[in-house]
Amino acid sequence: MRLNPEAEDFLADPHAVYDRLRPLDLVTDPLGLSTISYAASDAAFHDTALVPAIDHLLEHLGFGALWGSTDHTLTNTEGVDHGRLRRALTPWFTPKRVGVLRDRTTALVGELLDAHEPGTPLDVMTELADIVPARVFGWMLGAGEQDDKLFAEWSKALILVF
């Protein structure tokens, strides 16, 4: 079965399309194949025969590497380079730190949703997606809460550049 993110039914209600496709585990799409279910995604993630990341696909399609060069991010490296990058990040993702981030993120999302005016449409991008990742990253770097808004603005500006 084919997933077409430009199809009228997908644009109208992507969740319904994913619900119909999910029992298939794997579907074709404009870029090739996509895993739809958790089980298929988990199996693909653990399959060492699959190449990680998107840079190889982007280069194959003629776009070039996402970050200007391949094989320098955690998801694009293997072996010694992967181990070096993973060791640098591991202290940030211990079960205790992830638990704290989860609790703070849950509280932040709750605060943002509570601040949303009831009965008005929720713009998930501007009211959640533009704010939450930047604030979480700011927490991880130790930025003070007084800098949250500025940090979110800088993060959004940098994302737009790339």
Side-chain angles (χ1 to χ4, degrees):
M1 184 149 227
R2 184 162 174 77
L3 169 64
N4 181 359
E6 295 178 354
E8 197 172 305
D9 64 334
F10 185 87
L11 295 172
D13 185 3
H15 302 291
V17 173
Y18 282 124
D19 288 344
R20 283 195 312 270
L21 294 175
R22 194 166 289 111
L24 301 174
D25 290 332
L26 193 66
V27 296
T28 60
D29 62 34
L31 296 177
L33 296 172
S34 287
T35 56
I36 297 295
S37 69
Y38 174 82
S41 298
D42 187 56
F45 178 77
H46 288 94
D47 188 338
T48 58
L50 297 175
V51 177
I54 194 169
D55 281 342
H56 301 285
L57 174 62
L58 293 175
E59 286 187 336
H60 175 75
L61 294 173
F63 293 104
L66 185 63
W67 299 105
S69 66
T70 59
D71 300 331
H72 73 282
T73 65
L74 185 62
T75 58
N76 279 8
T77 57
E78 298 291 338
V80 174
D81 287 335
H82 180 82
R84 178 182 54 80
L85 292 169
R86 186 173 177 146
R87 278 189 301 281
L89 292 174
T90 296
W92 291 97
F93 297 101
T94 64
K96 183 178 180 179
R97 282 196 174 176
V98 169
V100 169
L101 286 175
R102 181 186 310 112
D103 293 345
R104 288 189 78 179
T105 303
T106 300
L108 172 60
V109 170
E111 290 167 19
L112 293 170
L113 291 174
D114 288 345
H116 177 76
E117 189 175 328
T120 63
L122 174 70
D123 184 337
V124 174
M125 287 305 296
T126 58
E127 295 181 60
L128 294 176
D130 286 345
I131 298 170
V132 174
R135 286 199 185 167
V136 170
F137 192 60
W139 294 334
M140 292 173 71
L141 295 177
E145 293 200 18
Q146 71 277 6
D147 296 323
D148 277 356
K149 193 170 195 161
L150 179 61
F151 195 76
E153 290 171 10
W154 286 352
S155 178
K156 186 175 181 182
L158 286 171
I159 289 169
L160 291 174
V161 169
F162 293 104

